[in-house]
Amino acid sequence: MEQSEVLKRVIGILTEAGEMQRQAEEDDGSDPEVGGSIVTSLLNETMPHIAIPGDATVEEMAALVGREVGGAVEQLVGAFTLAFIALAQIHDSGQQDVTSADVLQDLALRAEELSSDDDGPEDSL
C-alpha cells in the first residue's frame, strides 16, 4: 500500500474516533469504544502476506518476518506521527478557529494531491 493511502486510512481512523468521542460526550458522557474493525481492516491491508519456506530455521523466519513486517509498521507509524504532528502544531499555536477535523481534512487533501502527483515520490509525506 502506498504511503499516501496509509495516511488517508489513518486520517479516517482518527476522524471516526473523534466523531465517536463527540457522540459519547453528547449522549451520556461515557468513554466511546473505538471501532476495532476499522483498525483491523487497516492492519490486514497494510501488513504483507509472507510465504515462509517449510525448511526455514527459526532465525530465518524471524529475519524474514522482521524484514517484511518492518516496512509496513514503519508506514503506519509514519502516518500516525504525521497526523499527530499536524494536530499538535495547531494545538500548540493556540489557533482556536481551527478544529481537529479541519486539520485532518487538510492533511487528507494534501495526501490526495501527493498521490495524484506522478512526478512526486509517494514516500515524501
Side-chain angles (χ1 to χ4, degrees):
M1 184 179 286
E2 294 181 9
Q3 185 66 32
S4 61
E5 184 62 30
V6 173
L7 178 59
K8 288 187 274 186
R9 298 297 299 269
V10 164
I11 291 167
I13 290 170
L14 294 174
T15 301
E16 184 174 319
E19 183 58 33
M20 292 171 72
Q21 178 67 40
R22 280 188 284 284
Q23 287 177 356
E25 289 171 356
E26 290 173 3
D27 292 343
D28 59 10
S30 64
D31 288 334
E33 255 186 62
V34 177
S37 64
I38 191 166
V39 173
T40 301
S41 175
L42 175 64
L43 289 173
N44 287 336
E45 291 174 7
T46 310
M47 293 297 138
H49 298 282
I50 304 169
I52 299 175
D55 62 345
T57 66
V58 173
E59 293 81 15
E60 291 169 336
M61 284 191 291
L64 179 62
V65 170
R67 184 175 54 248
E68 295 295 322
V69 173
V73 170
E74 196 173 299
Q75 278 189 313
L76 286 170
V77 170
F80 274 107
T81 301
L82 182 61
F84 173 81
I85 290 170
L87 290 163
Q89 285 176 338
I90 293 299
H91 175 271
D92 292 349
S93 73
Q95 295 182 32
Q96 304 224 351
D97 59 333
V98 180
T99 67
S100 60
D102 295 335
V103 174
L104 292 173
Q105 183 178 27
D106 180 63
L107 192 56
L109 291 172
R110 291 189 319 177
E112 185 63 34
E113 289 171 3
L114 287 172
S115 68
S116 65
D117 182 12
D118 295 336
D119 297 331
E122 285 299 323
D123 295 329
S124 65
L125 289 176

